[in-house]
Amino acid sequence: MALEGPAERRDEVQVAMGNGNGVAPSQPSRPAGRPPAAAAPYADRRLRLNPNAEHKPQDYSDVRGEYAPAVYSALERHLPPSLLDADRDVKLHFMRDILARYWPQGERNKVQRHREYRQRILHLYKPLHEELYNMHPSVFFLPTFLEAVRSNTEESFRSIMTEPIPGVYSFAMLQPTFCEMLLEEVENFEKWVHAMKFKIMRPNTMNKYGAVLDDFGLEAMLNQFMQQFIAPISKVFYPEVGGGTLDSHHAFIVEYGKDRDLELGFHVDDSEVTLNVCLGKQFSGGELYFRGIRCENHVNSETQHEEMYDYTHIPGRAVLHRGRHRHGARATSSGLRINLLLWCRSSVFREMKKYQKDFPSWCGECQREKRERQSQCVKATKMAFLRGSGGATI
């Protein structure tokens, strides 16, 4: 079964944090104008394969440039032991030199243009609902959801959730007033873009309608949304795919219906964990269908019957799943369906999965192959035993 659409395409540039064998570059590139600094003596040191859990990274929130501060904080735990106690500037130069090796100049230019586009919007756009741009939990979330997060236990999370198939969780999450405000804000932004004759950046290559929420000022609020309200849940239910180390996101709105996108092809997300919340409005159809979790090697493999599940959207209700859980959206047959998508990512997991050996525990096809090999091994052992015993039975 082939995936329709760019299942493996990365819609946003993701920064790797080392090379494939975990060794820091021996001759790191240095952007023009940067002094060699004291990082040079460490240039041939190996990165730690496993993070130093006891090390507390320094604060990089004041650092501006190509990478989010969270990337430096995550990478610092993987620095060579001899570098952990060095000055922050030394570590910063070392990490920048590593990161620069894995982000081509052409991609940097693309990201720089997007940054300039975003800055222009932030300078000119006047929000309709200012209260959306700062986190107000009691205004945004239902009391049942807030109580579950405050308790922060697997039992409290499961008390508000259903798990129709393994790894897919559904729960009531957003206040109706928040959904209405967000819909109005997106509509206001789209009208403003049209009036200003801007070219709006769409969420990804598969959606021709919708908007990237981070582009018009909601990035900081949505980062809190992820860190405070999604990360605690992901840490419990998705630790094997970086659920405990989420450090960046891509947030956007998608629109389906007449004169909008009609459906969404079969694909995987560029995320470790995906939150999908229906905001409204009145619609029919548009079911989300799931077809099994797959690693890169098995993304086009057959779907097993037990992996098939169709999810019906309800305004205000969320569905949470792994980014590698293959899915698509059926046609919205009437009305207008608008959803909030939050792709949650882990820089550490993306680097560490380079060292992943066979049979990732989260890939359904890998596990089937593992069971098949184990079964063949058991059969071979039995045959060898029978041959050795002359075929005697007890």
Side-chain angles (χ1 to χ4, degrees), residues 127-199:
L128 178 65
H129 294 295
E130 293 279 0
E131 57 269 44
L132 280 176
Y133 292 76
N134 293 290
M135 177 55 67
H136 302 288
S138 62
V139 176
F140 294 179
F141 303 110
L142 294 172
T144 51
F145 175 77
L146 283 178
E147 181 57 34
V149 174
R150 289 188 184 116
S151 298
N152 196 23
T153 64
E154 181 175 348
E155 291 75 18
S156 68
F157 297 143
R158 289 192 180 278
S159 71
I160 63 167
M161 295 176 168
T162 61
E163 188 182 8
I165 57 171
V168 174
Y169 301 93
S170 177
F171 48 96
M173 183 184 196
L174 296 180
Q175 293 274 17
T177 51
F178 174 82
C179 295
E180 292 170 9
M181 284 195 297
L182 188 54
L183 287 172
E184 290 172 358
E185 190 69 43
V186 171
E187 184 178 357
N188 185 66
F189 173 67
E190 290 179 336
K191 288 180 178 177
W192 178 85
V193 167
H194 181 73
M196 294 291 290
K197 294 182 169 53
F198 273 24
K199 180 181 178 181

Side-chain angles (χ1 to χ4, degrees), residues 356-369:
Q356 175 76 53
K357 299 189 183 300
D358 291 340
F359 308 123
S361 61
W362 44 269
C363 173
E365 191 63 26
C366 280
Q367 291 308 299
R368 273 186 286 279
E369 288 184 359

Side-chain angles (χ1 to χ4, degrees), residues 323-359:
R324 299 296 311 189
H325 206 141
R326 302 181 302 179
H327 61 284
R330 301 194 188 283
T332 298
S333 52
S334 67
L336 178 62
R337 177 172 68 84
I338 304 178
N339 282 50
L340 163 65
L341 275 296
L342 188 67
W343 286 357
C344 305
R345 297 160 170 163
S346 167
S347 301
V348 170
F349 174 74
R350 293 184 176 215
E351 172 62 12
M352 291 300 102
K353 74 177 181 180
K354 294 177 183 178
Y355 315 111
Q356 175 76 53
K357 299 189 183 300
D358 291 340
F359 308 123

Side-chain angles (χ1 to χ4, degrees), residues 226-268:
M226 178 188 73
Q227 293 288 0
Q228 297 177 16
F229 300 97
I230 304 305
I233 301 173
S234 297
K235 183 177 181 180
V236 171
F237 294 119
Y238 307 116
E240 73 288 350
V241 294
T245 56
L246 302 178
D247 55 20
S248 65
H249 73 267
H250 176 47
F252 55 96
I253 294 292
V254 291
E255 303 174 9
Y256 295 92
K258 185 180 179 181
D259 300 324
R260 295 290 192 275
D261 290 319
L262 184 63
E263 59 188 1
L264 186 64
F266 191 35
H267 68 286
V268 297

Side-chain angles (χ1 to χ4, degrees), residues 46-343:
R46 294 178 65 91
L47 293 175
R48 291 172 58 100
L49 178 59
N50 297 310
N52 186 329
E54 298 178 356
H55 177 70
K56 183 178 180 180
Q58 291 184 257
D59 182 11
Y60 295 95
S61 59
D62 62 320
V63 176
R64 298 292 179 264
E66 299 162 340
Y67 311 101
V71 173
Y72 295 113
S73 296
L75 181 56
E76 185 177 325
R77 294 181 184 272
H78 294 268
L79 293 180
S82 59
L83 190 54
L84 288 179
D85 295 326
D87 291 340
R88 192 186 79 152
D89 285 347
V90 173
K91 289 187 280 192
L92 193 57
H93 283 310
F94 181 84
M95 291 187 286
R96 279 175 166 164
D97 285 336
I98 291 173
L99 293 168
R101 293 288 290 254
Y102 302 97
W103 199 0
Q105 187 62 46
E107 297 293 356
R108 295 190 201 182
N109 293 339
K110 178 181 176 182
V111 171
Q112 179 60 31
R113 288 194 298 271
H114 191 183
R115 184 181 293 115
E116 292 169 357
Y117 161 84
R118 182 176 292 183
Q119 288 300 319
R120 188 179 179 195
I121 290 175
L122 295 177
H123 179 68
L124 297 172
Y125 177 67
K126 181 176 176 56
L128 178 65
H129 294 295
E130 293 279 0
E131 57 269 44
L132 280 176
Y133 292 76
N134 293 290
M135 177 55 67
H136 302 288
S138 62
V139 176
F140 294 179
F141 303 110
L142 294 172
T144 51
F145 175 77
L146 283 178
E147 181 57 34
V149 174
R150 289 188 184 116
S151 298
N152 196 23
T153 64
E154 181 175 348
E155 291 75 18
S156 68
F157 297 143
R158 289 192 180 278
S159 71
I160 63 167
M161 295 176 168
T162 61
E163 188 182 8
I165 57 171
V168 174
Y169 301 93
S170 177
F171 48 96
M173 183 184 196
L174 296 180
Q175 293 274 17
T177 51
F178 174 82
C179 295
E180 292 170 9
M181 284 195 297
L182 188 54
L183 287 172
E184 290 172 358
E185 190 69 43
V186 171
E187 184 178 357
N188 185 66
F189 173 67
E190 290 179 336
K191 288 180 178 177
W192 178 85
V193 167
H194 181 73
M196 294 291 290
K197 294 182 169 53
F198 273 24
K199 180 181 178 181
I200 189 168
M201 295 280 191
R202 296 305 180 185
N204 52 61
T205 58
M206 299 182 73
N207 290 99
K208 297 179 181 178
Y209 295 88
V212 178
L213 299 177
D214 298 330
D215 283 349
F216 57 96
L218 289 166
E219 181 177 13
M221 183 277 284
L222 289 165
N223 196 55
Q224 283 185 275
F225 192 115
M226 178 188 73
Q227 293 288 0
Q228 297 177 16
F229 300 97
I230 304 305
I233 301 173
S234 297
K235 183 177 181 180
V236 171
F237 294 119
Y238 307 116
E240 73 288 350
V241 294
T245 56
L246 302 178
D247 55 20
S248 65
H249 73 267
H250 176 47
F252 55 96
I253 294 292
V254 291
E255 303 174 9
Y256 295 92
K258 185 180 179 181
D259 300 324
R260 295 290 192 275
D261 290 319
L262 184 63
E263 59 188 1
L264 186 64
F266 191 35
H267 68 286
V268 297
D269 294 339
D270 183 11
S271 69
E272 274 60 76
V273 177
T274 292
L275 176 77
N276 186 338
V277 193
C278 183
L279 301 176
K281 302 179 180 179
Q282 296 294 322
F283 62 91
S284 58
E287 296 84 2
L288 195 64
Y289 59 91
F290 291 93
R291 295 296 183 265
I293 307 161
R294 297 293 188 272
C295 66
E296 288 86 347
N297 294 332
H298 296 119
V299 69
N300 290 315
S301 62
E302 292 294 326
T303 298
Q304 304 301 313
H305 178 74
E306 65 272 14
E307 295 177 316
M308 297 182 180
Y309 173 68
D310 285 14
Y311 171 82
T312 301
H313 290 288
I314 300 173
R317 192 168 182 87
V319 58
L320 193 70
H321 60 86
R322 293 175 181 84
R324 299 296 311 189
H325 206 141
R326 302 181 302 179
H327 61 284
R330 301 194 188 283
T332 298
S333 52
S334 67
L336 178 62
R337 177 172 68 84
I338 304 178
N339 282 50
L340 163 65
L341 275 296
L342 188 67
W343 286 357

